[in-house]
Amino acid sequence: MIPKPLSFEQRDGEFAVDDDTVIRASDAAAPAARRLQADLAAATGLTLPITPSAPAGGREGAGAAIELDVDPELPREGYRLEIAPDGVRLAGGSTAGLFHGGIAFRQLLGPDAFRRAALPGRQWRAAASVTVDAPRFAWRGFMLDVARGFRPKHEVLRLIDLLALHRVNVLQLHLTDDQGWRMEIHRYPRLTEVGAWRPESQLGHGPDSTLDGRPVGGFYTHDDLREIVAYAAERHIEVVPEIETPGHVRAALAAYPELGVTGGPYEVWPRYGINDDVLNAEESTVEFFRNVLDEVMAVFPSTYIAVGGDEARKVQWANDSRTQKLMASRGLETPNELQAWFIRQLDAHLTAAGRRLYGWDEVLEGPLGPGATIASWRGLRGAEVAVARGHDVVLCPDDFAYLDYRQSDSAEEPIPVGTVQSLRDVYEFEPLPEDASEPMRRHVLGVQANAWSEHMDTASRVDYMVFPRLAAFAEVAWSAPGKRWADFEARLDAQLAIYGAMGVAYRPLAGPHPWQQRPGVPGAPRAKADRQAELAALTADLHE
């Protein structure tokens, strides 16, 4: 099974789920029981009624039972699953632990337990066993970029089911960028009226890339996003929204040119990469984004709100006389200090609302409030600096966690960008080696895999890039240290069978199918050593 449990003991016999099976649940376990009932009913066609838990030592009523209860002695997301011929006993440290245990039970029933409708002639049997499990990290995240490649709501909901399968518990939605603004903001309607649409997109990567001439766009209403949040919450996934500042903002500038330094004109950018456009440093621009964040917080109840901060080129600030006057009036000497000032204004606003700022590691280029949390993506240097300053950290280094990067050095890989990140490369990442310091262990909340969508313009393309590498990531995020590749390999066939039942267009282990390739579309592959040298240079101005 993936991710591998802390312990698994095979026993004699098997448990059969049939027409007489009931689910018994305590009051505390009732939400998890309803979720398990719905998932099993869809796949098996069986009703599986829910009844109150039997009195201690007794089993009332006909048929074997699947019994659920909350055990506060277990870790919050941990569970104990006992399967015997006469019944199933599932205990969780909370409803989240019960949910994870329910998925483990479905895995033991076989891949057809993950289908959405019953197939004829199936028998539902799970071998007797005892599984005890709990996660290593509290933050097991996945970032989906819907700004560059908009994914309709139904595709996001499908992805949430796949994240739940892997026990991922944070979904970061990258909602805005140069190429599109994807969340409606009632106070500023042009953000989606103008900013959600672009006339075409870049095809391929690097100097030989072209434009495809195909208009693209879309956005989510408040109710769409509330539905996504609620759907994820039922599966114990927290959705963290991201609104980019002060760079990666061309879509916002196209809608409201007065937010920029040059005044425009601007267009929603059809190209990928980094451009020079940034927000200006006027108080009115800061207030604009405070107002945006107020609407974001009204829709997303998450503790963390992401504000970007990455890859903001500061050439326009350095060359603009108005910006220089503003910097002088605030006692700021460098553009890096100006970005830090901007981020601190948003940090203070979020903190006052009881939330925590979440930013890419560039936000460390200046001082932050104590509650700010850092996504360390440019290697691990950002994590080291953040921890030294007392900030919590999520590790998502691009040489391990970027699932849009190419999966091999084969010419058959579609639109190859970045360094090679094979399934094994992802699996063998160790976030906290034995020599990790005590402060690092205290402040690292967990790990996150990121999927940037420049070249993922369909659900099947997302599937190809993300799976089965997300299974390797899940093992890193959930399982205890001491992983063995051979053991993981031995369990892959069972995971791929579940993907097949769920209709996931994953990358075959031997390489892409012919229809998954993109011949003639250029990429921009990088050597790992070259990329690591670049990241070292980019983080040279981060100081503890």
Side-chain angles (χ1 to χ4, degrees), residues 10 23 142 155 239 498 540:
Q10 191 75 51
I23 298 175
F142 180 83
E155 292 184 16
V239 183
I498 291 174

Side-chain angles (χ1 to χ4, degrees), residues 361-427:
D361 57 38
E362 286 93 334
V363 300
L364 291 166
E365 291 169 358
L368 295 165
T373 299
I374 308 304
S376 182
W377 75 274
R378 296 180 297 174
L380 297 178
R381 178 57 181 162
E384 295 167 353
V385 173
V387 167
R389 297 186 194 173
H391 293 290
D392 288 339
V393 174
V394 175
L395 302 179
C396 51
D398 87 334
D399 56 353
F400 142 72
Y402 274 42
L403 302 188
D404 51 300
Y405 281 8
R406 59 193 175 124
Q407 305 190 56
S408 76
D409 58 8
S410 168
E412 295 178 342
E413 292 294 347
I415 319 180
V417 298
T419 60
V420 171
Q421 288 189 24
S422 68
L423 181 66
R424 186 165 185 171
D425 290 332
V426 175
Y427 176 83

